Structures are given as structure tokens and as C-alpha cells.
């Protein structure tokens, strides 16, 4: 078993050991903060980025400028006369102010307002083309009118024309002011403006109108991005002495934007989209490009070498310097990268148990590695602790037998027991005694020993553990002792013992780790994805089960509460944290994702973790957390319903807004579940004042709820307002009386109409029907006489036929009128009768949908249904040559569907739709507002579907 464990550990070490750090961390998404219009930017297209002397970041977009307060971008209107607010240039000034060039005019402003600068005798007719700051009271600008251009120096109220060649553009690069001039007589070139406003010629070989950008760091080293001519395109570099040279590698490609950091790192974005990076003079091509580095418009290094990227898709900030986890791991495949225990001594030193002995991290920074004792290799160390005499003890669950003691000067080995079993962990109880948790290999082996006053007490001779493989032990503040064994969980409380075995814990009953909170609840894991706790009233609650989201099929290796009541869980899927029933995962998105953890140790200053292949990692507690602000928008009230949305933003965008979880509660109700949804609809609220409270949670489980409250009022219905109650009651009474009378009148009128319909139908049937029948009989009898001429017989036959047709038409009218035929049952019977009569030589079947009740009333549209039905049957009889016809009827309160399908010859709809029968059917459907659908192919029959919009209802 021990050999297998060592082999597995070595394999995991090789698999998960991290590779050497790459040149950059651009592919680590957690390092990127993304800002868009949702976080306050006027537009996602960011053209320029600057920082003022008070640390405020400003951006210029295609729709205006904005400054950042650490949480949101705040849009500032430069001049309301220009609705688009497309500022061509922003330039830092002093005292947190900036210059802004808008529509040829120069403005100066701060976070609150901007004022237009009026230059005496200049600004009324011309435009300002360029501006740069000299000091806190003066600046340069290039003024241009219809005649010429001038370089002006403005100091407070005075304006001085600087003698210079025809000015083209100004650049402020750190402490250097570059002056670009174009003109005749050799004045075309690049100049440097001196403190006394004199001009120093730097180069006349480069065309000034071809310079895209000039950047410089505080050391005085800088770059020119040149667009033309062909032989000059690319990057030109200069040193602190302003000696310019053409880059050896970055040439012949037009540059979109460029910047240089204080450490000399250079980033160049080419028009092709390629991005090159230079560090210590070595150029690299970033490929493939991270998604954050697409569509770049401008770049800007911060003083700490973090990087701003203005793109067409928003603003990105790359946090280069942020490294949350400090690493103390050895080279790849070193056995010290397997960490199985971490312990902090009372003097502050941290002892780390590895697969290759012990590493001691001393408070003074002088670390020590202990790989052998008395010439004997230690190997894997899984247990470390300190006794009341400040002596250190170490043990292992799969290496040497017994335990070693360090008294500060030398090591002593203790066999502890003649069986010399392995001791997995060393734990301490409330009285300071050390518990050596044994891994007995047969039933006669002990479960471990207690070191008490230099005496070794056998654990299972004092406590009934039911198993001699003891993995975990802890004691609560009240003195309750908990044991995690290979066969479950055991508690000893006030001298009474209770066991939780497989029937309670499930198929995995090996309790590998446990810890107790301040409320005497014990938290444990069964060497599986399961995490549970047993409360003080003996209720077993599963926190994680096999089917839950936190599972990820991980194993929980270690649990530990810190002094603030936070539970830390080390798992094979990373580090988890729980506080106030709120769980957080140190995920990849937070930059704190580490797999294959085996141990976690929270101390006052740091959180230490260790595991297979990762060595020792730690994080400063001060870095765990990212302040979040919630901006609640004004609620929208409609009647008794309320809609409200909010925006949660973290400090400097360290957590993407879409990943921030929030929850809400109304008044003193319960909190909702944590969710990334940022709005809520509350319906059917009672009238009165309501308070909506919203909380946010960062990736580390910290909750922020300061001033995240909005109040709103639901007005009572008008009928409950005193000013409207009496008139409303009176009006309601009048309306009620009127409605009752109207309903009675409607009922009476309906009865009268039904009676009238019945009388008319009876009269037509009894009088007109019988008379027509008599005429038909008389005509037939006379026609049979031999003495009558043939012409008369033919006329009598016509009379008989016409009479019978009229009688049939009369039957239809009676069927339409008589109320007793208003049911679906009679409609079905009528369709059967008509189809049976017209298609007597065919197999005809009529189907009524199951959802149609046969006794339902069907008043409207019956006449149109019958007429179109006859038209369809006539077309079948005349053209289809069919032997089988299926008729389907379906109905709901809004429509009636009639489908007639035959197995006839079919037809090509495009060629045959102009037939008189189909045209008549189409015309009828249009007249009554029905929908007609014909499905037919030659040789495959025809199906005609008519959808009638009707007023079918149950009376």
C-alpha cells in the first residue's frame, strides 16, 4: 500500500508540476479588467488614454471623454453646443486638470466642468491645432488661421508668439516637448523646444507630417512611429541624448500605436493587427493574440508597468504586477514539490512536510531544508506539531516508523510502540497533549498514542473507536473529542461515545479530515467529494453531495477554520472558502486557481496551501478581497409591480461585472439566492413604503452591503384613497345596476331571437317545404302520363329537378336558422350527410377531434363552412378521380379547422390554381376572413385545409 502511494505521488508530481513562467501573462484572463459603456464609458471606441498628476485616468472616445473613480467611468461634457463631443486631443495639465481640443477650440477643465480658453486677438477667427503643457502656469499651442500658423506660448493672461518655422504639431513626451515644423528653405524637420523657448534641431531627415506618435519614458528614452516615406516607415528609437536611429527589426510596416514603459519595455501595434513586444532589447511577436488585444486603437503604460489598451470594443487594463500567490516550489520533478502538511510554530516559523523531508521557513528569511536525520533519509512527512516544551515532532503515514523529536539542538527517534506502525498526523488537544494518529495494518495494531507528561497512552485502550486506522482528530472548546477513522466518525462527549458508520455516511465512510467550528459543529469529509457537518443536536447535514455543483468529482483533503470563523477546504479541485454559509471558489478567473491541494493552513497574516506538484503557496490576507460598489437604478413602478436593476462594479475592474454575484431582499424578508442576475421584478406588492436592499459578493466570499438600499412607495388603488372612495362606490353601484339590467336584457333578447329563429325555421319547413314537395310530386305524376307531348314532359322534368334543388337549398336554410342545430354534433352529422350524398361511390370518413365536445354550441360561420365544404366535395367529384376521402374537424374558442384529404390524382398548384373551382374557394375564404391552405402533388392526392376565425363558445 505504501509503495503504491509513493508511486502515485511521484506520477502526480510529474503530471501537475507547473512549467516555467512564460514571457508574459497576457493569456491569463483574470489579469484583464474590461470597461465598456456599461461601466460608464461614453463609447466603446477608445482613442486616447492619459493620467493626470493626481492619479486620475482620463479617456477620450468617439463620443466624448470620461474619468475613472476606481469603480465607474464618469462622462464629462466639454461643451454642450457640440452634441457628438468627439474630442480630438486630451492633454494632462497640472492640479488634476486636462486640456481638450474640440472643434478647433481649446478647453481646460477637471472632473466637474470645462471652460473654453479665449486667446486675445487669436481665437475668434482661427483654430487651435495642438497643445502641450510647459509647467503649472504656462503651455504651448499651435494656432492657425487662413493666412498662416503660429506657435504661441501662453502664461496666465499673456500670449507670446515664439519665433519658429511654420509649426505643424506638438508632442509632450515626459519632460521633452517636441516641435514638428514643415516649410521651405530647410525648416522642415523635428525640433526640441528648450526651456527658454528656443528651438534645437534634432533631425531634418524625417518628414514631420509622417510622424504618427512620439513616446518617451522618464529616463529620456523614446520612440517615433513614422508613416512615410517608404524608406522611413516603422519605428525610430532615441536615447536620453535624443540621438535618433532606425530600428533594426521594427521597420517597413506602418504603426497604429506605440508606447514605452518606465522599465524600457516597448509595445508596438501595427496596422496589420500584429503586436510586437520588446523587453531588454529582445523583440517578440505575440501570437496568437489574446481576445483582449484585438482591434486596438491606442496603448498606454502605467507607472507600475500595467498596460492600458484602448480598443474598438472597450478599454482593457492588464494587471501585470498582480501576483496573488507567492510560490515556494522547487524545480520541476523535485520531491519537495509534494507537500502533505504545513505547521506554524509559536515563534512564527513555518514547517512544511514534503516528500523529501522538511522545509523550514524562518521569520528572518533564512530557510532551512532537512532531508535526512543522522544520515537517514526522511522521505515523506505527513505530520508536524509542537509540544508544550516547544519541541517539534514529525511523522509519516507512508515512510519511517514511529516519530522524530527536535528539541532545538538535536533529533531523537521514538519507536512509540514495539509494532513500529506509521503515524499519519500529529494533532494537539486543548490541554496541549500530542496525539499520534496511527495507521495500523492488522487488527492487533493500536490506533495511535497520546503523549502526556512524557508517557505514551494507547488511544484505543481509552476510547472505543471500532477501527485502528485513525486519520483525523480534533477537540472542541467544550471538550468534545472527534475521531475520523477508516470506518466512520466517532464522538466522545461527556464520557458517552457515539459512532456514525456506513449506514449514515454512505458508501464512502473513511473520514479523512475534520475540524470543529465555534458552535461545536463538526465538519468532515469522507475522502470523497462529500462534505458534511454534524450539528450540536446530532443532525447530519451534507454540504456537498455527489450531485452538487461544488463537487467536480474532487476529493476533500483538508479542512481548517481560521480565527475569523472562515472555513478553508483544500481539495483536488482547488481551494474553497465558506463564511456565513456563503461559499467561494478560488477559481481560474480570480487568478488563484491551484489544483491538487492536500493541505491548507490559515494564519494571522497568510493562507498557506500545499499539494502534489505545486510545492508551497501562500497569499497575503490583505489581498483577499476586491471592494465592490453597487449602483441601484431608480425603480420603475407599475400598479402593484416594481422593476429594479443595479450595476455591481469592483475596484479597478478586478472582477468582471458579469461575474459578480448579488442578492436582494425586500423589507425584512429573506435574502434571495446569490446570482449574477442584476435585476428583479416584484409583483403584487402591498401599498406603502418598501425598502430594497442589495448585497454583492466578491470572488473570495467577502460581502459588501454599504448603503446599497433604495426605497420606493406603492400607492394604494384609487378605490382605497379617501378622496376617491365615495365617488368610486357611487359610480360602481351605478355601473353594477346598469350591468345587471343589461345582462337581463341580453338574456331576454337572446331568448326572443332563438324563439324567432325557431318559428321561422318551422314555418319554412312546414309551409314552404311541404309546398315544394307537393309541386315535385305533382310534376312527376303528370310527367308519367302517356297522353302528354314529349316537350311538356321535358319541361315537367325541369320543374321537378328545380323543385328538388330548391327544397334541398331550403333544408340548408332551415339548418342554418334553427337553434337546435347549433351544436357540433349536428355539424358533424350534416357534414356526414352531405359527403355521403355527394360522394356516394367513395369511401368517406369523418373525424371530429377528441377535444371537441359534441354538445357545445357552434353559432357563427356554419353557413360558410357548409358552402365551402360543398365546393371542395364538388371539386373532388369533378376532378380528383379519388376512391377515398378523409374529413377532419377541430375546434377551439377562437377557430374552427376543416381538413378534406383525398387520394386522387392531385395537381401542380402553380399550373392549376387558376381553375374556376379553386378560384371560387379562394374568393370565399377571403370574403369571410378564413385562411386557405392546399397541399397537392401530382399522383399524391390533395388536402384542402380551411381555418375559420369564429366565435365558438359554450352557452
Amino acid at each position: 500500500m505504501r509503495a503504491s502511494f509513493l508511486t502515485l505521488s511521484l506520477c502526480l508530481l510529474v503530471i501537475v508540476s507547473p512549467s516555467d513562467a512564460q514571457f508574459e501573462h497576457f493569456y491569463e484572463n483574470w489579469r484583464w479588467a474590461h470597461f465598456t459603456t456599461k461601466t460608464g464609458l461614453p463609447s466603446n471606441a477608445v482613442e486616447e488614454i492619459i493620467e493626470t498628476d493626481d492619479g486620475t485616468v482620463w479617456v477620450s472616445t468617439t463620443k466624448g471623454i470620461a474619468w475613472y473613480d476606481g469603480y465607474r467611468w464618469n462622462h464629462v461634457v466639454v461643451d454642450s453646443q457640440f452634441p457628438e463631443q468627439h474630442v480630438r486631443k486630451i492633454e494632462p495639465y497640472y492640479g488634476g486638470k486636462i486640456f481638450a481640443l474640440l472643434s478647433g477650440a481649446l478647453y481646460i477643465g477637471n472632473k466637474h466642468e470645462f471652460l473654453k480658453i479665449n486667446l486675445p486677438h487669436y481665437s475668434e477667427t482661427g483654430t487651435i491645432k495642438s497643445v502641450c503643457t510647459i509647467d503649472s502656469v504656462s503651455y504651448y499651442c499651435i494656432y492657425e488661421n487662413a493666412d498662416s500658423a503660429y506657435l504661441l506660448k501662453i502664461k496666465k493672461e499673456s500670449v507670446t508668439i515664439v519665433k519658429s518655422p511654420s509649426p505643424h504639431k506638438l508632442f509632450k513626451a515626459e519632460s521633452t516637448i517636441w516641435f514638428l515644423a514643415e516649410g521651405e528653405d530647410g525648416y522642415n524637420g523635428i525640433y526640441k523646444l528648450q526651456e527658454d523657448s528656443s528651438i534645437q534641431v534634432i533631425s531634418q531627415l524625417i518628414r514631420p507630417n509622417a510622424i504618427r506618435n512620439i513616446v518617451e519614458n522618464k529616463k529620456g528614452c523614446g520612440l517615433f512611429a513614422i508613416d512615410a516615406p517608404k524608406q522611413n516607415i516603422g519605428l525610430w528609437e532615441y536615447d536620453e541624448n535624443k540621438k535618433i536611429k532606425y530600428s533594426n527589426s521594427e521597420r517597413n510596416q506602418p504603426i497604429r500605436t506605440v508606447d514605452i514603459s518606465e522599465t524600457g519595455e516597448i509595445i508596438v501595434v501595427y496596422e496589420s493587427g500584429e503586436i510586437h513586444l520588446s523587453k531588454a532589447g529582445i523583440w517578440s511577436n505575440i501570437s496568437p493574440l489574446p481576445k483582449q488585444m484585438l482591434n486596438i486603437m491606442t496603448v498606454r503604460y502605467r507607472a507600475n508597468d500595467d498596460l492600458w489598451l484602448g480598443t474598438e470594443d472597450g478599454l482593457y487594463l492588464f494587471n501585470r504586477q498582480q501576483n496573488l500567490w507567492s510560490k515556494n516550489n522547487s524545480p520541476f520533478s523535485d520531491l519537495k514539490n509534494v507537500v502533505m502538511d504545513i505547521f506554524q510554530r509559536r515563534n512564527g516559523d513555518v514547517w512544511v512536510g514534503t516528500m523529501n523531508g522538511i522545509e523550514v521557513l524562518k521569520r528572518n528569511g533564512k530557510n532551512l531544508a532537512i532531508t535526512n536525520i543522522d544520515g537517514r533519509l526522511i522521505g515523506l512527512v505527513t505530520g508536524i506539531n509542537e509540544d508544550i516544551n516547544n519541541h517539534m515532532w514529525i511523522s509519516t503515514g507512508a515512510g519511517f516508523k514511529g516519530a522524530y523529536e527536535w528539541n532545538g539542538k538535536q533529533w531523537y527517534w521514538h519507536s512509540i510502540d514495539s509494532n513500529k506502525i506509521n503515524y499519519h498526523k500529529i494533532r494537539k488537544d486543548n490541554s496541549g497533549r500530542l496525539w499520534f494518529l496511527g495507521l495500523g495494518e492488522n487488527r492487533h495494531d493500536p490506533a495511535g498514542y497520546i503523549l502526556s507528561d512524557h508517557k505514551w497512552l494507547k488511544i484505543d485502550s481509552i476510547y472505543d473507536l471500532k477501527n485502528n486506522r485513525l486519520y483525523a482528530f480534533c477537540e472542541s472548546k467544550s471538550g468534545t473529542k472527534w475521531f475520523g477513522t477508516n470506518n466512520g466518525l466517532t464522538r466522545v462527549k461527556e464520557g458517552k461515545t457515539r459512532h456514525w458508520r456506513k449506514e449514515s455516511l454512505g458508501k464512502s465512510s473513511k473520514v479523512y479530515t475534520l475540524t470543529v467550528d465555534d458552535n461545536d459543529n463538526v465538519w468532515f469529509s469522507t475522502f470523497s467529494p462529500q462534505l458534511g457537518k454534524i450539528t450540536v443536536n446530532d443532525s447530519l447535514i451534507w454540504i456537498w453531495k455527489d450531485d452538487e455543483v461544488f463537487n467536480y468529482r474532487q476529493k476533500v483533503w483538508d479542512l481548517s477554520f481560521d480565527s475569523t470563523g472562515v472555513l478553508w477546504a483544500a481539495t483536488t479541485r482547488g481551494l474553497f472558502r465558506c463564511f456565513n454559509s456563503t461559499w467561494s471558489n478560488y477559481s481560474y478567473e480570480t487568478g488563484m486557481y491551484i489544483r491538487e491541494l492536500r493541505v491548507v493552513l490559515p494564519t494571522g497574516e497568510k493562507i498557506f496551501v500545499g499539494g502534489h506538484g505545486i510545492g508551497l503557496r501562500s497569499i497575503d490576507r490583505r489581498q483577499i478581497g476586491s471592494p465592490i460598489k453597487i449602483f441601484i437604478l431608480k425603480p420603475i413602478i407599475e400598479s402593484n409591480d416594481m422593476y429594479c436593476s443595479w450595476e455591481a462594479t469592483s475596484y479597478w475592474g478586478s472582477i468582471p461585472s458579469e461575474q459578480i454575484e448579488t442578492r436582494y431582499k425586500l423589507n425584512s424578508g429573506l435574502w434571495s439566492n446569490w446570482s449574477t442576475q442584476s435585476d428583479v421584478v416584484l409583483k403584487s406588492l402591498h401599498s406603502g413604503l418598501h425598502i430594497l436592499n442589495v448585497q454583492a459578493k466578491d470572488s473570495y466570499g467577502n460581502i459588501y452591503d454599504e448603503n446599497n438600499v433604495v426605497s420606493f412607495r406603492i400607492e394604494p388603488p384609487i378605490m382605497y384613497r379617501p378622496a376617491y372612495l365615495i365617488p368610486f362606490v357611487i359610480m360602481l353601484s351605478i355601473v353594477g345596476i346598469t350591468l345587471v339590467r343589461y345582462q337581463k336584457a341580453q338574456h331576454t333578447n337572446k331568448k326572443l331571437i332563438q324563439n324567432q329563429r325557431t318559428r321561422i325555421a318551422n314555418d319554412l319547413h312546414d309551409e314552404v317545404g311541404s309546398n315544394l314537395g307537393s309541386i315535385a310530386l305533382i310534376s312527376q305524376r303528370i310527367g308519367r302520363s302517356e297522353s302528354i307531348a314529349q316537350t311538356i314532359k321535358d319541361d315537367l322534368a325541369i320543374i321537378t329537378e328545380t323543385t328538388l334543388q330548391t327544397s334541398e337549398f331550403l333544408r340548408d336554410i332551415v339548418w342554418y336558422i334553427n337553434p337546435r342545430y347549433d351544436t357540433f354534433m349536428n355539424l358533424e352529422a350534416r357534414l356526414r350527410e352531405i359527403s355521403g350524398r355527394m360522394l356516394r361511390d367513395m369511401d368517406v370518413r369523418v373525424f371530429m377531434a377528441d377535444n371537441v365536445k359534441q354538445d357545445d354550441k357552434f353559432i357563427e360561420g356554419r353557413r360558410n363552412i357548409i358552402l365551402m365544404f360543398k365546393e371542395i366535395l364538388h371539386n373532388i367529384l369533378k376532378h380528383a378521380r379519388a376512391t377515398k376521402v378523409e374529413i377532419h374537424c377541430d375546434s377551439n374558442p377562437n377557430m374552427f379547422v376543416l381538413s378534406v384529404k383525398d387520394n386522387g390524382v392531385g395537381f401542380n398548384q402553380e399550373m392549376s390554381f387558376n381553375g374556376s373551382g379553386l378560384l371560387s374557394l379562394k374568393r370565399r375564404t377571403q370574403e369571410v376572413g378564413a385562411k386557405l391552405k392546399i397541399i397537392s402533388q401530382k399522383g399524391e392526392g390533395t388536402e384542402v385545409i380551411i381555418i375559420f376565425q369564429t366565435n365558438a363558445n359554450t352557452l
Side-chain angles (χ1 to χ4, degrees):
M1 182 262 183
R2 289 193 298 271
S4 300
F5 179 82
L6 288 171
T7 302
L8 176 61
S9 300
L10 286 170
C11 292
L12 286 174
L13 172 64
V14 173
I15 292 172
V16 303
S17 291
S19 60
D20 292 337
Q22 298 299 313
F23 181 72
E24 281 299 339
H25 306 293
F26 290 126
Y27 303 101
E28 297 177 342
N29 286 332
W30 66 269
R31 292 185 179 275
W32 292 94
H34 188 202
F35 307 97
T36 64
T37 53
K38 291 183 179 180
T39 55
L41 287 178
S43 167
N44 284 339
V46 178
E47 298 178 321
E48 195 172 3
I49 308 161
I50 63 171
E51 292 194 34
T52 56
D53 55 0
D54 64 351
T56 303
V57 181
W58 289 78
V59 295
S60 175
T61 75
T62 54
K63 292 186 178 180
I65 63 174
W67 60 276
Y68 191 53
D69 62 10
Y71 294 92
R72 286 186 59 81
W73 293 91
N74 300 271
H75 185 196
V76 180
V77 176
V78 175
D79 192 332
S80 58
Q81 295 182 14
F82 303 98
E84 286 298 321
Q85 293 290 304
H86 190 179
V87 175
R88 188 165 59 87
K89 177 69 176 175
I90 55 175
E91 179 76 19
Y93 192 52
Y94 285 87
K97 296 180 180 180
I98 69 168
F99 288 115
L101 284 177
L102 175 62
S103 297
L106 181 60
Y107 297 80
I108 189 170
N110 53 26
K111 300 174 183 178
H112 309 292
E113 64 176 349
F114 275 78
L115 299 175
K116 185 178 180 180
I117 296 177
N118 295 310
L119 302 177
H121 311 295
Y122 293 97
S123 58
E124 295 180 0
T125 57
T127 60
I128 304 296
K129 289 185 59 179
S130 192
V131 63
C132 70
T133 302
I134 302 174
D135 51 39
S136 60
V137 294
S138 56
Y139 56 92
Y140 290 113
C141 71
I142 295 177
Y143 166 79
E144 185 178 67
N145 58 23
D147 299 327
S148 59
Y150 305 92
L151 176 61
L152 305 180
K153 182 178 181 181
I154 296 95
K155 185 174 183 179
K156 294 184 177 181
E157 299 298 327
S158 65
V159 179
T160 305
I161 299 178
V162 179
K163 186 177 180 181
S164 69
S166 179
H168 175 67
K169 200 169 186 179
L170 290 169
F171 281 101
K172 176 68 176 291
E174 285 299 329
S175 59
T176 306
I177 298 178
W178 295 97
F179 172 69
L180 309 183
E182 57 179 347
E184 300 176 353
D185 301 328
Y187 290 113
N188 195 52
I190 304 173
Y191 301 84
K192 177 183 174 184
L193 278 170
Q194 310 281 24
E195 292 183 3
D196 59 358
S197 298
S198 63
I199 298 175
Q200 176 187 356
V201 178
I202 301 297
S203 173
Q204 291 183 295
L205 298 177
I206 301 174
R207 289 165 46 187
N209 57 0
I211 297 178
R212 172 68 65 92
N213 199 5
I214 305 176
V215 293
E216 184 180 300
N217 62 16
K218 290 182 178 179
K219 296 178 181 178
C221 301
L223 307 162
F224 289 86
I226 308 297
D227 280 346
K230 182 178 179 180
Q231 65 271 19
N232 289 343
I233 292 177
L235 195 66
W236 290 68
E237 304 172 83
Y238 64 85
D239 57 19
E240 60 273 15
N241 297 318
K242 304 304 179 283
K243 293 182 179 179
I244 303 174
K245 68 174 183 176
Y246 200 4
S247 172
N248 294 327
S249 61
E250 306 305 301
R251 54 172 66 190
N252 302 327
Q253 291 293 326
I255 296 171
R256 181 178 302 169
T257 182
V258 62
D259 200 17
I260 182 171
S261 73
E262 297 305 327
T263 58
E265 181 177 290
I266 301 170
I267 184 170
V268 182
V269 181
Y270 289 94
E271 290 292 352
S272 63
E274 281 194 30
I275 301 177
H276 292 187
L277 202 71
S278 172
K279 194 167 187 179
I282 300 174
W283 285 93
S284 299
N285 180 21
I286 301 177
S287 181
L289 288 176
K291 63 179 181 180
Q292 296 88 350
M293 304 185 84
L294 301 175
N295 305 317
I296 292 178
M297 302 176 73
T298 186
V299 294
R300 176 72 64 181
Y301 281 105
R302 302 197 70 205
N304 63 355
D305 273 9
D306 286 353
L307 182 63
W308 288 105
L309 301 181
T311 77
E312 297 175 11
D313 306 311
L315 180 67
Y316 289 94
L317 174 61
F318 175 66
N319 296 295
R320 180 196 305 274
Q321 302 301 326
Q322 190 176 19
N323 289 304
L324 300 177
W325 287 106
S326 64
K327 301 179 182 180
N328 192 47
N329 58 324
S330 301
F332 181 74
S333 77
D334 192 318
L335 292 176
K336 290 196 292 291
N337 286 329
V338 177
V339 174
M340 296 300 292
D341 201 11
I342 309 170
F343 183 83
Q344 186 175 42
R345 299 190 63 181
R346 283 189 285 272
N347 66 2
D349 293 350
V350 175
W351 285 46
V352 183
T354 77
M355 191 173 280
N356 191 25
I358 302 166
E359 283 194 278
V360 181
L361 310 181
K362 293 182 173 292
R363 294 286 290 182
N364 59 14
K366 295 181 180 179
N367 299 340
L368 175 67
I370 304 172
T371 59
N372 63 79
I373 297 176
D374 297 332
R376 178 183 178 184
L377 290 176
I378 302 174
L380 178 67
V381 174
T382 62
I384 308 173
N385 217 306
E386 183 178 20
D387 63 22
I388 58 177
N389 299 315
N390 298 330
H391 292 188
M392 294 299 297
W393 294 78
I394 64 171
S395 67
T396 176
F400 57 84
K401 307 293 185 178
Y404 281 99
E405 176 190 8
W406 169 254
N407 65 5
K409 295 181 180 180
Q410 63 182 18
W411 288 96
Y412 294 94
W413 177 68
H414 297 263
S415 63
I416 301 179
D417 184 82
S418 59
N419 291 311
K420 299 181 181 179
I421 64 173
N422 291 96
Y423 294 95
H424 172 60
K425 293 290 182 183
I426 307 173
R427 294 293 184 246
K428 189 181 296 184
D429 62 18
N430 293 347
S431 61
R433 300 182 303 174
L434 295 186
W435 293 60
F436 293 78
L437 312 184
L439 300 180
E441 296 185 357
N442 60 67
R443 62 189 181 90
H444 301 293
D445 289 336
Y449 288 84
I450 307 169
L451 179 58
S452 177
D453 293 330
H454 304 288
K455 296 180 180 179
W456 296 98
L457 307 177
K458 188 181 293 187
I459 295 174
D460 47 0
S461 67
I462 305 173
Y463 304 100
D464 177 21
L465 302 182
K466 305 294 185 184
N467 195 272
N468 65 345
R469 293 184 70 83
L470 185 56
Y471 289 102
F473 165 80
C474 67
E475 184 178 13
S476 70
K477 291 181 178 179
S478 63
T480 301
K481 294 178 175 62
W482 293 90
F483 302 88
T485 74
N486 194 48
N487 192 30
L489 186 65
T490 297
R491 181 190 66 192
V492 179
K493 181 178 181 181
E494 298 175 351
K496 297 179 180 179
T497 302
R498 176 171 178 180
H499 302 284
W500 283 264
R501 296 290 183 251
K502 184 174 290 187
E503 59 273 10
S504 301
L505 304 181
K507 60 183 180 181
S508 178
S509 57
K510 179 193 293 186
V511 176
Y512 191 80
T513 181
L514 54 81
T515 186
V516 179
D517 62 24
D518 289 337
N519 298 318
D520 269 7
N521 303 312
V522 66
W523 297 68
F524 67 94
S525 176
T526 58
F527 202 57
S528 71
Q530 297 189 140
L531 174 65
K533 74 173 179 178
I534 297 176
T535 64
V536 290
N537 58 6
D538 290 353
S539 297
L540 173 58
I541 300 174
W542 289 110
I543 308 301
W544 298 343
K545 293 284 283 184
D546 286 341
D547 57 349
E548 291 190 355
V549 69
F550 282 103
N551 168 356
Y552 302 114
R553 296 191 178 276
Q554 84 267 34
K555 287 183 179 179
V556 180
W557 280 79
D558 195 20
L559 297 169
S560 182
F561 277 98
D562 64 18
S563 59
T564 64
V566 175
L567 174 65
W568 299 88
T571 80
T572 54
R573 287 286 185 172
L575 183 63
F576 290 79
R577 174 186 190 270
C578 180
F579 184 66
N580 289 336
S581 300
T582 300
W583 282 95
S584 301
N585 176 217
Y586 286 67
S587 62
Y588 177 77
E589 287 77 11
T590 67
M592 303 178 67
Y593 182 53
I594 306 176
R595 296 174 63 105
E596 298 300 335
L597 297 183
R598 295 298 184 269
V599 60
V600 56
L601 174 67
T603 67
E605 298 177 353
K606 295 182 178 182
I607 308 297
F608 291 93
V609 295
H612 269 213
I614 68 168
L616 180 70
R617 307 283 182 98
S618 64
I619 186 172
D620 193 321
R621 280 182 176 272
R622 292 170 296 181
Q623 291 182 304
I624 303 179
S626 178
I628 296 174
K629 283 189 177 181
I630 299 177
F631 301 88
I632 305 177
L633 304 181
K634 184 178 180 181
I636 299 174
I637 311 295
E638 291 186 2
S639 184
N640 287 69
D641 302 337
M642 186 278 292
Y643 170 79
C644 186
S645 63
W646 53 86
E647 296 175 1
T649 58
S650 61
Y651 188 63
W652 280 86
S654 57
I655 307 174
S657 296
E658 60 271 14
Q659 293 181 13
I660 298 176
E661 291 186 285
T662 60
R663 66 178 182 178
Y664 66 87
K665 73 173 180 179
L666 184 66
N667 302 324
S668 58
L670 299 176
W671 287 102
S672 67
N673 294 327
W674 289 105
S675 169
T676 54
Q677 184 176 340
S678 59
D679 60 358
V680 62
V681 177
L682 300 175
K683 293 183 172 293
S684 303
L685 299 176
H686 62 77
S687 58
L689 182 67
H690 295 273
I691 297 176
L692 182 71
N693 194 350
V694 181
Q695 287 184 340
K697 179 183 69 170
D698 64 19
S699 303
Y700 319 111
N702 302 309
I703 296 175
Y704 302 89
D705 59 359
E706 183 179 358
N707 300 323
N708 299 331
V709 175
V710 64
S711 60
F712 61 94
R713 180 176 294 278
I714 300 292
E715 296 295 338
I718 294 179
M719 62 183 66
Y720 295 123
R721 300 178 192 176
Y724 299 95
L725 184 59
I726 296 176
F728 179 75
V729 171
I730 296 173
M731 180 183 69
L732 188 62
S733 301
I734 296 173
V735 171
I737 295 170
T738 303
L739 286 175
V740 170
R741 289 181 177 178
Y742 176 75
Q743 289 179 351
K744 286 184 177 180
Q746 285 285 89
H747 187 66
T748 302
N749 289 337
K750 189 176 291 185
K751 280 190 172 182
L752 290 174
I753 291 172
Q754 286 184 343
N755 292 336
Q756 190 72 2
R757 288 175 61 196
T758 302
R759 186 184 63 78
I760 293 172
N762 290 338
D763 288 346
L764 288 174
H765 181 271
D766 295 343
E767 298 297 331
V768 180
S770 63
N771 290 339
L772 289 174
S774 298
I775 293 172
L777 290 174
I778 293 171
S779 300
Q780 288 175 349
R781 188 174 64 251
I782 296 173
R784 288 195 293 269
S785 176
E786 296 294 337
S787 61
I788 299 177
Q790 185 61 41
T791 56
I792 297 175
K793 286 184 178 183
D794 293 340
D795 291 340
L796 288 173
I798 294 172
I799 292 173
T800 300
E801 184 181 355
T802 303
T803 303
L804 292 175
Q805 290 178 352
T806 305
S807 179
E808 178 64 27
F809 181 67
L810 182 64
R811 286 182 63 194
D812 287 342
I813 293 175
V814 171
W815 186 81
Y816 301 147
I817 295 176
N818 200 329
R820 78 179 206 181
Y821 298 129
D822 286 348
T823 66
F824 281 107
M825 181 175 65
N826 278 282
L827 175 62
E828 179 185 7
R830 185 65 173 162
L831 296 178
R832 291 183 185 276
E833 177 190 347
I834 295 172
S835 59
R837 185 179 69 253
M838 294 183 66
L839 308 177
R840 61 174 62 90
D841 296 328
M842 301 181 191
D843 179 10
V844 180
R845 298 181 184 182
V846 180
F847 302 93
M848 190 68 71
D850 294 338
N851 63 317
V852 177
K853 297 180 180 179
Q854 293 294 313
D855 58 348
D856 278 358
K857 296 288 185 177
F858 187 77
I859 301 173
E860 302 291 340
R862 288 189 295 125
R863 179 175 179 273
N864 293 321
I865 292 171
I866 296 301
L867 291 176
M868 293 186 204
F869 180 66
K870 287 182 177 181
E871 188 76 50
I872 296 170
L873 298 189
H874 178 73
N875 286 335
I876 293 174
L877 191 62
K878 186 176 180 182
H879 303 291
R881 297 203 294 275
T883 61
K884 182 178 179 181
V885 177
E886 290 185 0
I887 302 165
H888 294 265
C889 302
D890 195 1
S891 175
N892 63 39
N894 298 314
M895 65 177 63
F896 176 81
V897 181
L898 174 65
S899 169
V900 181
K901 184 176 182 181
D902 65 65
N903 65 345
V905 296
F907 63 92
N908 188 325
Q909 296 187 57
E910 295 181 358
M911 299 179 61
S912 305
F913 202 82
N914 292 327
S916 59
L918 294 178
L919 284 176
S920 174
L921 196 60
K922 183 178 180 181
R923 176 179 54 79
R924 284 184 182 276
T925 55
Q926 290 176 344
E927 289 176 354
V928 300
K931 295 180 180 179
L932 173 65
K933 184 177 182 181
I934 299 175
I935 304 172
S936 181
Q937 292 289 338
K938 272 199 170 186
E940 298 181 5
T942 302
E943 182 179 5
V944 180
I945 302 172
I946 306 179
I947 302 174
F948 297 90
Q949 303 297 324
T950 183
N951 294 323
N953 52 64
T954 302
L955 300 177

